[in-house]
């Protein structure tokens, strides 16, 4: 009996000894909360990796867009969910962008957000993501489907509608073109500022393969002709969304056509800023002998509309669009099912516009 007690005692002592030697690394939760009764296991942090490819960084509107996209992702972080966003410059080069998407795939990104350099090559990029099983949100440049007669069809681009984890977030560019035309239509002289009975215009185009450019060009004029206004195109030229090119095109047109020009329509504000400089240099005055229209409603252009140095612009809601792209991206990361198309409205910005 004595022997048994002695053995039991030494066992207890040994256990105590080992327990004393065992490493005593407190878990973070224990350290923060010394009361073992309420201690919980440390929360796990999940980090999602997101690859973003922007068609080119050197674009006024897309710069606002990508900055907002990144800061909205940050605002969505919690103690347990983080978003590691890697944004790259496509440099307006399809080969460069294809490389970026391939690298995103090799790096095992959880989500890809893509602002395609060429909408006509969107399928190649979509296929890469789909084959790798990575969800993709396309933004700002809508790839268009084509029907049997060769007409473009919205909301039916096969690469988008055929894939449950691919979607497009954007704005309907026809609306922005229509708004530009309506701003001119609603002027007291209906845009015929030189009073020769027709609206003679210069059209400065973004880039010919971008639906935003195509629709704005078409629908701005359609809003005038639908209202029974006679129009005459004096110049139609490509400015690649760029301020310097917009200025050059406007300058050439003003040299060539002078007072014949009633309106300069620009597919975006970037080019309208250039046209505004050309107008000033030519000694012309917006609202007095010429009209000037843009799209995007950049801060500086909103100010110009207020002070009369620009006739009007159309708010291209980069905040609404980038937030929608992030929200739907997060739904994809969480494995939720999504729609294929998400649309954000444009807003008309003329002299009556109140923010
Ligand atoms: C904007 C332009 C921009 C283009 C880029 C358009 O929606 O209005 O300012 O250059 O997107 O794709």
């Amino acid at each position: 009996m004595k022997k048994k007690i002695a053995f039991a005692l030494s066992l207890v002592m040994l256990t105590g000894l080992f327990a004393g030697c065992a490493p005593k690394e407190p878990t973070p939760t224990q350290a923060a909360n010394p009361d073992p009764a309420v201690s919980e296991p440390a929360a796990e942090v999940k980090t999602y990796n997101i690859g973003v490819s922007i068609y080119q960084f050197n674009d006024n509107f897309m710069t606002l867009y990508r900055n907002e996209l990144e800061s909205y992702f940050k605002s969505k972080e919690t103690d347990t969910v983080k978003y590691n966003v890697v944004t790259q410059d496509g440099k307006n080069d399809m080969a460069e962008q294809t490389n970026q998407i391939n690298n995103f795939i090799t790096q095992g990104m959880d989500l890809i957000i893509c602002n395609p350099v060429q909408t006509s090559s969107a399928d190649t990029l979509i296929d890469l993501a789909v084959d790798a099983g990575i969800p993709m949100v396309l933004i700002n440049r809508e790839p268009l489907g084509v029907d049997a007669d060769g007409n473009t069809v919205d909301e039916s681009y096969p690469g988008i509608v055929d894939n449950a984890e691919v979607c497009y977030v954007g704005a309907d560019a026809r609306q922005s073109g229509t708004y530009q035309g309506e701003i001119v239509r609603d002027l007291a002289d209906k845009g015929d500022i030189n009073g020769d009975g027709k609206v003679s215009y210069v059209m400065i185009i973004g880039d010919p393969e971008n639906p935003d450019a195509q629709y704005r060009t078409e629908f701005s004029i359609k809003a005038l002709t639908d209202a029974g206004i006679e129009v005459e195109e004096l110049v139609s030229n490509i400015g690649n969304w760029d301020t310097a090119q917009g200025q050059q095109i406007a300058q050439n047109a003003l040299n060539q056509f002078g007072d014949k020009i009633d309106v300069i329509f620009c597919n975006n504000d970037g080019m309208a800023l250039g046209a505004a400089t050309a107008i000033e240099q030519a000694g012309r005055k917006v609202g007095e002998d010429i009209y000037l229209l843009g799209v995007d409603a950049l801060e500086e252009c909103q100010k110009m509309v207020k002070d009369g140095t620009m006739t009007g612009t159309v708010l291209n809601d980069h905040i609404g669009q980038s937030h929608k792209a992030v929200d739907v991206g997060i739904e994809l990361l969480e494995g939720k099912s999504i729609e294929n198309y998400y649309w954000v409205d444009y807003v008309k910005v003329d002299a009556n516009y109140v923010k």
Side-chain angles (χ1 to χ4, degrees):
M1 181 67 171
K2 256 188 181 174
K3 259 188 185 169
K4 266 192 185 166
I5 291 173
F7 178 69
L9 263 176
S10 53
L11 246 185
V12 168
M13 280 164 71
L14 260 178
T15 321
L17 205 73
F18 276 119
C21 294
K24 260 194 175 174
E25 275 289 299
T27 65
T29 339
Q30 280 170 330
N33 181 3
D35 180 354
V38 287
S39 78
E40 282 165 18
E44 251 185 54
V45 175
K46 169 85 190 147
T47 300
Y48 290 108
N49 294 306
I50 296 137
V52 181
S53 176
I54 299 294
Y55 96 98
Q56 75 171 330
F57 279 6
N58 184 19
D59 179 296
N60 301 359
F61 175 74
M62 286 315 300
T63 300
L64 295 173
Y65 194 124
R66 73 184 147 90
N67 290 341
E68 187 61 33
L69 190 94
E70 284 175 357
S71 59
Y72 189 61
F73 259 122
K74 263 262 149 295
S75 78
K76 288 278 164 184
E77 289 190 334
T78 64
D79 289 346
T80 53
V81 180
K82 305 285 172 209
Y83 300 105
N84 172 34
V85 181
V86 176
T87 309
Q88 293 192 337
D89 182 358
K91 299 185 182 146
N92 210 13
D93 177 346
M94 198 56 219
E96 171 86 25
Q97 185 166 55
T98 310
N99 255 340
Q100 287 168 4
I101 303 295
N102 273 319
N103 287 340
F104 287 159
I105 291 167
T106 317
Q107 290 155 7
M109 292 291 180
D110 299 300
L111 170 73
I112 296 174
I113 298 185
C114 180
N115 172 215
V117 169
Q118 276 169 14
T119 50
S120 55
S121 304
D123 253 352
T124 319
L125 304 178
I126 294 171
D127 286 350
L128 288 173
V130 169
D131 290 349
I134 301 175
M136 178 178 259
V137 179
L138 295 153
I139 55 168
N140 169 258
R141 301 177 143 210
E142 183 194 356
L144 293 177
V146 177
D147 69 12
D149 303 322
N151 298 319
T152 50
V153 200
D154 295 328
E155 305 200 25
S156 64
Y157 186 75
I160 296 176
V161 288
D162 292 350
N163 291 297
E165 293 196 315
V166 177
C167 68
Y168 175 73
V169 176
D172 178 359
R174 285 169 299 194
Q175 192 184 35
S176 54
T178 303
Y179 284 170
Q180 279 191 314
E182 286 179 0
I183 293 172
V184 174
R185 177 200 69 189
D186 294 342
L187 294 165
D189 57 15
K190 297 186 189 325
D192 181 17
I193 202 161
N194 62 17
D196 66 357
K198 57 184 180 230
V199 172
S200 306
Y201 66 88
V202 172
M203 182 65 71
I204 307 186
I205 299 172
D207 78 90
E209 88 125 40
N210 185 324
D212 281 9
Q214 294 162 8
Y215 281 147
R216 287 172 193 168
T217 300
E218 179 187 347
F219 282 77
S220 52
I221 303 307
K222 186 171 181 298
L224 297 179
T225 52
D226 281 355
I229 296 168
E230 194 186 328
V231 297
E232 174 192 31
E233 181 184 280
L234 298 174
V235 173
S236 171
N237 222 331
I238 294 155
N240 290 309
W241 307 110
D242 178 71
T243 302
Q245 293 183 45
Q247 180 173 343
Q248 193 59 57
I249 294 168
Q251 187 183 312
N252 294 348
L254 287 158
N255 284 342
Q256 192 180 349
F257 292 103
D259 291 346
K260 270 193 93 180
I261 305 172
D262 292 298
V263 184
I264 299 185
F265 284 104
C266 302
N267 282 172
N268 78 343
D269 279 354
M271 298 185 295
L273 285 168
T277 309
I279 288 172
E280 205 190 314
Q281 285 173 355
R284 305 280 296 271
K285 272 217 152 63
V286 172
E288 286 180 24
D289 56 25
I290 197 163
Y291 294 122
L292 174 64
L293 281 298
V295 175
D296 283 338
L298 302 177
E299 279 294 328
E300 50 205 311
C301 293
Q302 292 192 36
K303 282 199 198 102
M304 289 166 71
V305 173
K306 263 205 191 90
D307 72 23
T309 48
M310 207 167 145
T311 313
T313 180
V314 181
L315 175 72
N316 193 1
D317 182 4
H318 69 274
I319 296 181
Q321 290 175 59
S322 56
H323 289 197
K324 184 42 102 186
V326 170
D327 287 341
V328 74
I330 291 176
E331 283 177 23
L332 281 163
L333 288 170
E334 290 171 349
K336 296 192 179 136
S337 60
I338 52 143
E339 319 256 307
N340 286 123
Y341 284 89
Y342 295 90
W343 299 108
V344 176
D345 268 333
Y346 284 102
V347 182
K348 208 183 273 187
V349 178
D350 58 14
N352 306 316
Y353 175 73
V354 189
K355 228 185 187 178

